[in-house]
Amino acid sequence: MTDNSKGQQISLEAKDPFELRINHGQHVSETEVRATLASGDMGFVHSFTTGSTVDGPGVRVVAWLTGCQFRCVYCHNPDTWRMTNGVPVTVDRAKAELRKYRHGLKTMKGGFTVSGGEPLMQDRFVVKLFTAARAMGIHTALDSNGYLGGRLTDEDLETIDLVLLDIKAWDPERHRRVTGMDVDPVLNFARRLAALKKPVWLRYVLVTGLTDDPEDIAQIANFATSLGNVQRADVLPFHQLGAFKWKQLGIEYELRDAAPPSKETVERTCAQFRTAGLKAY
Ligand code: SF4
């Protein structure tokens, strides 16, 4: 199968995930998509980026996959929502892409992170990528909203060194308001990772007036601390770098006038995580 309907191969490398990418896999039939998801022999990839220092320890190569079942009102990459916006890529091509960086990643004590979108929409592909990365001696990290964590067996989880778990809100109604989905599966996945003693970095996107409620944050901070496997909390201040994507995709963007949170609010939120006993950045 070729990358697009014209039979051309599309480069997987992007400067960053803010490149708008759409319709690259629209020629793939639904039957093929289903077969692909079941086997994991092919996946849909927005892009590969290099040089990240925020998506796990050291310097990372990040594979941004397409497909997400959340509809976060602050999403920076709504072009990753539809799986067939991504480039259809065989697992062998993705492995070859990763292989290019393996020596550098080891030297820089970095690794390979799979993000999205929501990577677990393509769980079999993700496990194949991580298995390959491990065979190359590369550290692996999964960046996930956690909702589909139940798709991973304990054996699958053994291919993952670190989970970057996004908890979007504590209060169920707020979670639904922010993401359109329930919070319980996310928290259940967090508990399961704790039972397995899997290292986790918690990620929390901070938006003024939406996710800056101190009580909600305290609940998340206390929950994360109680788990015992959360190594740090990363507070991610909302920004508008992805705003142009909403516009170009013609999706109503309710945060179009929202400003990034103030330095004080970011510091206060980090302080809440620290008070609960976590390192926070
Ligand atoms: S989970 Fe991530 S990719 Fe999905 S809608 Fe939310 S922010 Fe966007």
Side-chain angles (χ1 to χ4, degrees), residues 68 70-72 74-75 80-81 116-117 145 168:
C68 188
F70 280 20
R71 292 290 178 265
C72 301
Y74 53 60
C75 185
T80 63
W81 290 354
N145 65 32
K168 315 278 188 184

Side-chain angles (χ1 to χ4, degrees), residues 65 67-78 80-81 115-118 143-145 166 168 178-179 205 246:
L65 306 195
C68 188
Q69 77 287 57
F70 280 20
R71 292 290 178 265
C72 301
V73 295
Y74 53 60
C75 185
H76 298 144
N77 292 306
T80 63
W81 290 354
S115 185
E118 170 46 50
D143 177 18
S144 171
N145 65 32
D166 302 86
K168 315 278 188 184
V178 172
T179 70
V205 179
W246 291 76

Side-chain angles (χ1 to χ4, degrees), residues 137-271:
I138 296 173
H139 178 276
T140 58
L142 170 74
D143 177 18
S144 171
N145 65 32
Y147 192 87
L148 297 176
R151 288 186 172 186
L152 297 176
T153 64
D154 288 358
E155 204 185 344
D156 293 336
L157 281 165
E158 278 171 25
T159 65
I160 304 173
D161 293 308
L162 173 71
V163 177
L164 310 175
L165 183 65
D166 302 86
I167 299 186
K168 315 278 188 184
W170 179 264
D171 175 69
E173 252 176 55
R174 191 190 310 268
H175 194 274
R176 230 170 285 127
R177 152 104 177 84
V178 172
T179 70
M181 302 292 279
D182 290 336
V183 71
D184 284 350
V186 179
L187 302 182
N188 288 340
F189 185 49
R191 291 185 188 103
R192 180 164 162 233
L193 292 172
L196 293 169
K197 299 190 178 2
K198 181 68 60 186
V200 166
W201 290 9
L202 171 74
R203 305 187 119 185
Y204 188 72
V205 179
L206 187 62
V207 188
T208 309
L210 186 69
T211 61
D212 61 348
D213 177 45
E215 227 165 86
D216 219 49
I217 294 165
Q219 296 269 25
I220 293 174
N222 291 335
F223 171 71
T225 306
S226 74
L227 294 173
N229 61 327
V230 178
Q231 299 179 337
R232 60 186 261 176
D234 287 333
V235 176
L236 311 174
F238 167 75
H239 58 68
Q240 291 284 14
L241 289 178
F244 80 98
K245 291 190 175 186
W246 291 76
K247 198 166 176 211
Q248 291 201 19
L249 292 168
I251 318 170
E252 173 61 22
Y253 180 42
E254 69 171 273
L255 297 187
R256 65 185 167 279
D257 298 321
S262 66
K263 243 173 122 187
E264 291 72 36
T265 311
V266 175
E267 205 24 67
R268 188 211 74 205
T269 306
C270 287

